[in-house]
Amino acid sequence: MTEIWFAGGTVADGSGSEPSAADVCVEDGVITRIGTAPAGAETVDLDGMLLTPGLIDAHVHLGLSSPIRAQFGFQLSAAEIAADIFSTAGRTLDAGFTTVRDTGGIDGGVVDVIAKGKVRGPRVLSCGPVHCQTGGHGYYGAEWEPTELWETHHIPGLAALSLMSGNADELRRNVRESFRRGASFLKLCVTGGVVGGHDRLEDTQFTVAEIAVAVEEATARGTYVTVHAHNNAGIRNAVMAGVRCVEHGTDIDEPTAQLMREHDVALVPTFAVIDQIMDPGSLDVDPSTRERIAGARRRMATALRISREAGVRIGLGSDLLGAGQHRRGEELRLRAELESPMQALVSATSVNADILGIGETVGMIRVGMAADLVAWKRNPLDDARIFAEPDMVAFVVKAGRIMKGDTQ
């Protein structure tokens, strides 16, 4: 394959180091040289643009890309749900995200068609359906509907929101089923949540022993468990059971952060979804959902500061829901307000790659790494609002292939 040099730009390599002028050579999907393009080389002229690693969103729900009330009310055809999923996948790529971790909602077929190139989208790591306790967070069936009918709402190969377990044996069976369907990691809901009608944020769900069953099964397959968790009791249960990562972490206090640090448990805060839910024109949810989230943004910001001071690894996830997922970079903008644009970029690249277990291949601009690259028309490190503007993404390169941008 011909070498292509991305030349004439400034490189922010994902490590947090000061950006510097450099040209990047790509061959067979891999970064092979970083330096100065030789005379006569085939080049893509960046004309001074900032070049960063492809962004990584560690908390997405591609399978929840349709209007939420209509989807949860089972009012949509499989064709419409599929169209919305594929549209969101393409928009995610165009916003500069070359890798995402889907934390519940899609079935294995979506991952496959994107990987085969039949649908434009980022690299997808998926847990398949999330795991929740009977009637816990992740279950959206009607109160009158028998529990055993819940899984009949799944669309095999396309959409599968959650599997419910009433005890450790059922959980073991269900997580094995997730792996059979192609899951690359597991996600459990161990506290109540915001978008849900059967629980409260202060609820804890699953016991330490039950969570440990999922950890045992994941470890047997060389992978890990992450957990949806808002309150400290649920987070501490999950840490003691051996999970790798906590999603949201809204109420993390200092003792819990120290416990996470001691056990090398990472945190993925999710700010963008809070703003999305609080905006009545952005997401069609029941008004009670907005009441649940009152004060959550402030508490999550405090948890972020406490976790950072404790030395917890902190990634980045948007958790956007419904049809309004095109401004996925909003999460970087919000994080930049709380920390810095560079810290947001590092969390969305090298740190996220490390949390996802793919840090040896993506997340940084380094020789030998996969050529996942984004060129920005304006510098988001000077103005973090640029992260949230898909039109500011001039080029997107995924594994060496230019997926967005005119090279002429």
Side-chain angles (χ1 to χ4, degrees):
M1 182 177 177
T2 304
E3 291 184 344
I4 298 178
W5 286 83
F6 291 83
T10 301
V11 174
D13 66 7
S15 70
S17 299
E18 190 70 20
S20 60
D23 302 334
V24 178
C25 181
V26 174
E27 184 177 7
D28 291 333
V30 176
I31 298 169
T32 56
R33 284 184 282 173
I34 300 174
T36 302
E42 182 177 346
T43 63
V44 174
D45 184 10
L46 298 181
D47 191 25
M49 289 188 287
L50 183 73
L51 190 69
T52 70
L55 303 179
I56 302 170
D57 191 333
H59 193 120
V60 308
H61 293 289
L62 297 181
L64 301 178
S65 293
S66 302
I68 290 298
R69 284 206 199 188
Q71 186 165 2
F72 283 1
F74 313 111
Q75 300 167 14
L76 304 177
S77 68
E80 186 166 357
I81 293 171
D84 291 340
I85 290 172
F86 298 152
S87 175
T88 294
R91 287 184 169 190
T92 296
L93 188 65
D94 289 341
F97 290 85
T98 53
T99 301
V100 299
R101 181 176 65 164
D102 193 286
T103 52
I106 60 171
D107 215 354
V110 175
V111 179
D112 290 343
V113 295
I114 294 174
K116 291 174 181 177
K118 293 185 175 183
V119 173
R120 292 183 71 252
R123 184 181 296 105
V124 181
L125 287 73
S126 172
C127 69
V130 302
H131 294 275
C132 61
Q133 71 177 34
T134 302
H137 185 67
Y139 171 68
Y140 297 98
E143 292 183 0
W144 55 262
E145 182 179 67
T147 299
E148 59 270 18
L149 295 183
W150 169 243
E151 292 175 31
T152 65
H153 296 300
H154 288 182
I155 306 172
L158 181 66
L161 187 58
S162 62
L163 294 171
M164 281 193 297
S165 304
N167 55 50
D169 288 340
E170 290 180 4
L171 181 61
R172 190 182 300 276
R173 180 195 66 208
N174 284 339
V175 300
R176 287 176 175 175
E177 172 65 12
S178 289
F179 285 125
R180 183 196 69 78
R181 297 188 193 180
S184 55
F185 68 99
L186 298 175
K187 179 187 172 187
L188 272 63
C189 294
V190 302
T191 74
V194 174
V195 182
H198 303 277
D199 52 28
R200 303 167 301 161
L201 285 178
E202 57 267 31
D203 291 349
T204 60
Q205 300 176 359
F206 285 130
T207 65
V208 174
E210 288 169 334
I211 300 167
V213 165
V215 171
E216 180 184 13
E217 292 294 327
T219 301
R221 291 161 177 80
T223 187
Y224 67 95
V225 174
T226 192
V227 292
H228 158 104
H230 288 279
N231 66 61
N232 286 295
I235 292 169
R236 294 172 74 86
N237 285 346
V239 172
M240 298 313 298
V243 308
R244 178 190 289 184
C245 187
V246 169
E247 312 294 313
H248 314 301
T250 305
D251 290 315
I252 289 174
D253 58 17
E254 292 181 7
T256 302
Q258 289 294 338
L259 184 69
M260 291 173 64
R261 175 65 182 88
E262 291 168 8
H263 290 265
D264 193 25
V265 176
L267 170 66
V268 176
T270 53
F271 288 93
V273 71
I274 298 176
D275 284 7
Q276 185 189 33
I277 291 171
M278 292 304 292
D279 179 1
S282 179
L283 192 64
D284 180 27
V285 294
D286 189 276
S288 64
T289 297
R290 296 189 178 92
E291 295 173 7
R292 285 181 176 222
I293 209 168
R297 197 176 190 283
R298 174 187 52 78
R299 302 198 317 271
M300 190 178 288
T302 300
L304 171 64
R305 175 183 56 78
I306 290 172
S307 299
R308 181 71 71 190
E309 292 172 353
V312 173
R313 286 183 299 156
I314 303 175
L316 179 145
S318 68
D319 194 22
L320 293 175
L321 302 170
Q325 299 190 33
H326 58 287
R327 291 175 59 88
R328 195 169 296 284
E330 195 71 23
E331 187 70 26
L332 281 86
R333 182 189 69 79
L334 294 170
R335 282 286 294 278
E337 291 179 353
L338 296 169
E339 300 188 295
S340 72
M342 180 61 82
Q343 187 60 67
L345 177 64
V346 171
S347 288
T349 53
S350 58
V351 176
N352 266 356
D354 181 52
I355 292 172
L356 273 56
I358 53 176
E360 294 183 358
T361 56
V362 300
M364 295 185 71
I365 299 178
R366 287 280 191 271
V367 172
M369 305 284 273
D372 285 8
L373 308 168
V374 180
W376 301 87
K377 295 178 183 179
R378 290 171 53 195
N379 191 340
L381 299 179
D382 294 335
D383 181 357
R385 292 176 298 180
I386 302 302
F387 282 128
E389 297 292 343
D391 289 345
M392 289 292 103
V393 176
F395 293 99
V396 176
V397 181
K398 173 187 167 188
R401 294 186 58 199
I402 297 176
M403 307 299 290
K404 177 184 179 180
D406 185 1
T407 61
Q408 300 303 317

